[in-house]
Amino acid sequence: MEDHRILARIVKDYPDALSDRKKLQALFSDFFPQDRLKRNILLMVFDDGITEEMQAATNLDTMALHRYVKSVSQGYGIKTESAEEAVLAWARAIGLSLDTEEAPEEGGETDSEVEWVEGGGENAYEYEETPRGIKLLRFIDFDDTVVTIPNMIGGKKVSEVGNHAFKGCVGIEKIVVSDGIEILGNGVFINCKELKEVVLPRTLRRIGTSDPTGCPKILGTMTKLEGTFEYTALEDVVIPDSVKYIGEYAFANCSRLQRVVLPDGLKEIRENTFCWCKSLREVVFPEELRVVGMEAFEGCEALQNVTLPEGVNSIEQGAFAGCRNLESIYIPDSVGEIGGGRGSGFIQTFGEPDDRHQNFTILCNAGSYAMNYARKQQIKCAKAQN
């Protein structure tokens, strides 16, 4: 069997392995028992963060392929051909379309279309060079009311803003993230308490990452990935369609946030993404959404009516707990699980009965999983108006 088909099987049957290196390594030993070199090179691609980056993309163009191959071959000292084979195997396994013409993603921008904004370099930022470009580590200038994050420093492209780069910059009220920047790390703007407005570029692919660097440990062993915009004063957020991944707690405790437009193509609203956004009234969900994660909207007291898109298959534990003014939620027939996830099981999906709106109603179709769930939980249900 070809390598990419084996990888595709692993991705499909063991999706949690992509966030658990030990499990992935064990699976490689099972599926590639006689080829240690192949196992190691495939793990190099994973360890370099390329697999994670691919999961947030829809295609692989020649420029990205060259960047990935160069990063692996130079970073680990292996042959270019071997690195390219491993990168392509992962790309095919994840389901990326391979574009050898270097065409931009639909709705995206090429480097030639980007307006380059040169930054102050050592005067404004601590930064480091990575195979993907400049990574901004820390904003070290004084707070202006409006700050534009540059996409170029010293003639080199800025690709990422690292964890906690602007943490605690309480004087900033507006952030403009320049076109060309692709990743915002964990806690980038956490505790920027006066940050009311953010302009996100069409090149952005990830808000938050799985990198725990600098994030606190809680309960002894667990690491809380601090949200990119946690504890800010944002009021209205439109996330560009280029974004395929939004991390845990991304907008948690944004008490002034009233409206958010999620990007087309986003498949999962992750754990605690909007928890305790007490002013949140409107959420525009993407059609490709499949999972509403644990406690994703916990404590969103201003939510009154929610319509989940067709295709959602799971609403996890505590997703809408503490939404005291939620009068109705439409749950489509595609939902086959309510209350799952990795939690303790003590937090009900829609909160305790005493904390729900007195007229809280699940809107659904006759015979659906949602209807059966409502009956078991003694929640009022009504026919959905199609």
Side-chain angles (χ1 to χ4, degrees), residues 103-127:
E105 293 185 24
E106 186 176 353
E109 296 182 351
T110 62
D111 284 352
S112 62
E113 295 172 321
V114 170
E115 180 181 350
W116 296 103
V117 180
E118 180 72 36
E122 65 277 6
N123 297 321
Y125 297 94
E126 295 176 0
Y127 61 92

Side-chain angles (χ1 to χ4, degrees), residues 3 6 27-35 38-39 42:
D3 294 348
I6 296 175
L27 287 168
F28 281 176
S29 295
D30 291 338
F31 283 95
F32 302 103
Q34 305 300 324
D35 201 331
K38 181 176 293 183
R39 296 199 305 264
L42 290 172

Side-chain angles (χ1 to χ4, degrees), residues 181-211:
I181 292 175
E182 301 174 356
I183 299 172
L184 297 176
N186 301 312
V188 171
F189 305 108
I190 190 171
N191 291 329
C192 294
K193 296 181 179 180
E194 296 302 317
L195 180 60
K196 301 179 179 68
E197 182 181 357
V198 62
V199 179
L200 300 175
R202 289 181 292 173
T203 54
L204 189 64
R205 296 184 295 102
R206 300 177 68 86
I207 297 175
T209 72
S210 58
D211 174 16

Side-chain angles (χ1 to χ4, degrees), residues 25 31 35 47 108 131 135 160 178 183 251 257 259 296 305 330 346 379:
Q25 188 174 20
F31 283 95
D35 201 331
D47 290 338
K135 179 178 180 179
E160 180 177 355
S178 294
I183 299 172
F251 297 92
L257 184 62
R259 176 177 178 266
N305 304 101
Y330 168 66
F346 293 117
I379 297 174

Side-chain angles (χ1 to χ4, degrees), residues 236-270:
D236 189 297
V237 175
V238 177
I239 302 173
D241 289 342
S242 56
V243 174
K244 305 300 181 185
Y245 176 96
I246 301 176
E248 299 172 10
Y249 293 89
F251 297 92
N253 295 288
C254 292
S255 60
R256 301 184 195 176
L257 184 62
Q258 298 181 37
R259 176 177 178 266
V260 62
V261 178
L262 294 170
D264 290 341
L266 183 71
K267 294 184 179 180
E268 179 178 2
I269 301 174
R270 299 177 70 85

Side-chain angles (χ1 to χ4, degrees), residues 3 24 34 46 53 56 60 100 104 143 145-146 165 181 213 235 241 255 306 342 354 378:
D3 294 348
L24 185 62
Q34 305 300 324
F46 175 83
E53 190 170 328
L60 179 67
T100 58
D143 294 357
T145 302
V146 180
I181 292 175
T213 303
E235 298 175 357
D241 289 342
S255 60
V306 169
R342 295 174 284 108
D354 291 344
Q378 300 182 43

